[in-house]
Amino acid sequence: MSNFEQDFYQTTYSIDDHSQAYNYNTQGGAQYNKQYHYDYAQQGGFIPPEMIPQQQPYTGQIFQPTQTYTPTSADSVYGSSFDDEPPLLEELGINFDHIWQKTLTVLHPLKAADGSIMNETDLTGPMVFCLAFGATLLLAGKIQFGYVYGISAIGCVGMFCLLNLMSMTGVSFGCVSSVLGYCLLPMIILSGFAVVFSLQGIVGVLLTALIIGWCSFSASKIFISALAMEGQQLLVAYPCALLYGVFALISVF
């Protein structure tokens, strides 16, 4: 055991050597630190409080650009109130008073027509009358909506060309369509009779001829008053009678 301890502790390591080496490293480290150490305390100095700039507090002022335009109020653009605005139906071009006056003019052939009202482009009444005419034909078992609108379009184009050739002032296509559509009202009465009675007899022929004359006379009267075509009512009534005769054939047969 003693031999093992002597062999185990036998080495060239010395405690004195280690302490010297450590002291050497310590001295070297001290010299190194002393050589490269920077003293920050020498650079600073005492600064009096009055030399320190005071920070200005935020006062809350916001930059506002100068106004280069004058704002307009909504009242100056759209009116002072909603009471000054026209009704919605008037803006859409639907005037029930004029529709009623045109309808009475057609139903009363001997009544004088107002040219200022009849010269308006109003298609509300004609569309309603065309639908009513097709509906009465449908009640009689005749689905003729396509023929009604097709014949109406062709007749309006033909009358538009004819009236522009005959009149000095000229006429718009909307005015021609409006007048021919309003004068279709007596034809609705004829198609209403066709639902209940047969119009292929003598009575039916006479009633059909009366309705055709009624429609053509009312249309020619309105065109003469609106276009100032005095003395030409028979010339205008003849093509109108041909157009309404086609509608009468659809109602009878």
Side-chain angles (χ1 to χ4, degrees), residues 27-42:
Q27 294 177 0
Q31 294 177 0
Y32 178 80
N33 293 334
K34 184 177 182 181
Q35 182 179 358
Y36 292 98
H37 179 70
Y38 184 80
D39 191 3
Y40 291 96
Q42 296 178 0

Side-chain angles (χ1 to χ4, degrees), residues 28 64 185 197 251:
Q64 296 181 355
L185 179 59
F197 308 102
S251 300

Side-chain angles (χ1 to χ4, degrees), residues 193-212:
F193 278 109
V195 175
V196 183
F197 308 102
S198 176
L199 300 177
Q200 297 182 7
I202 300 298
V203 178
V205 172
L206 294 177
L207 181 61
T208 302
L210 178 63
I211 294 298
I212 293 174

Side-chain angles (χ1 to χ4, degrees), residues 155-160 163 171-181 223:
C156 290
V157 172
M159 288 299 298
F160 170 72
L163 291 175
V171 65
S172 63
F173 184 78
C175 178
V176 174
S177 303
S178 177
V179 172
L180 293 178
F223 282 131

